[in-house]
């Protein structure tokens, strides 16, 4: 099993997968780098939350474009059968992306925290499904072990780290906004 996973990254990995990996990881790390490089922003966890939410929202809208308007190509790239599932998933991505951007526009960072937590839980379940598909159904390939899985796993850790950095003193990571 491990030799098959290594083989995926040595021989099955293509230039397209590398570009996909850059597209998936840039919205995760770019806001963190900007926040870390600018000393004035580093003092404020809310700035990190806003930057991360902004890039997460635009990434969700981009992925919804792929899933809704390019559903056949996306399904073949991910080794999915062509079905309405990709379109439904795309509408979820659109709703989450638009929702988090609207929260930022309205100045409701507490609501954005809730959406980030929900999106992190969704990404965690998505990662589990990709791992299950890869190992239980022997679909070991870049479609399940590639950029999408890497994004899902890293997003969970980064989202909760951002939520921790953005919380106020003496407050829980997420609380019910008023």
């Amino acid at each position: 099993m491990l030799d098959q996973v290594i083989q995926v990254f040595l021989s099955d990995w293509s230039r397209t997968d590398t570009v996909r990996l850059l597209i998936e990881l840039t919205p995760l790390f770019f806001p963190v780098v900007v926040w870390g490089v600018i000393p004035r922003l580093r003092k404020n966890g809310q700035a990190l939350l806003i930057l991360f939410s902004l890039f997460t929202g635009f990434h969700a809208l981009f992925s919804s474009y792929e899933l809704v308007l390019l559903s056949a190509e996306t399904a073949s790239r991910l080794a999915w059968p062509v079905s309405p599932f990709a379109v439904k998933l795309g509408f979820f991505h659109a709703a989450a992306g638009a929702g988090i951007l609207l929260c930022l526009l309205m100045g409701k960072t507490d609501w954005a925290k809730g959406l980030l937590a929900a999106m992190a839980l969704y990404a965690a379940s998505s990662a589990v499904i990709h791992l299950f598909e890869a190992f239980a159904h022997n679909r070991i390939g870049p479609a399940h072990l590639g950029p999408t899985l890497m994004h899902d796993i890293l997003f969970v850790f980064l989202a909760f780290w951002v939520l921790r950095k953005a919380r106020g003193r003496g407050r829980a990571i997420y609380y019910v906004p008023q």
Side-chain angles (χ1 to χ4, degrees), residues 22-93:
L22 285 172
I23 290 171
E24 295 289 337
L25 296 184
T26 299
L28 293 180
F29 291 110
F30 188 73
V32 175
V33 169
V34 168
W35 178 78
V37 168
I38 301 174
R40 204 171 109 185
L41 291 179
R42 252 191 319 233
K43 296 176 184 174
N44 187 356
Q46 289 293 329
L48 175 62
L49 174 69
I50 291 169
L51 281 170
F52 191 77
S53 297
L54 185 70
F55 278 88
T56 298
F58 283 121
H59 180 265
L61 289 176
F62 171 74
S63 65
S64 72
Y65 165 77
E66 279 189 322
L67 289 165
V68 172
L69 298 178
L70 306 173
S71 61
E73 294 88 354
T74 304
S76 68
R77 179 176 53 82
L78 294 172
W80 291 347
V82 177
S83 71
F85 172 73
V87 176
K88 290 177 185 177
L89 188 62
F91 281 120
F92 167 75
H93 283 241

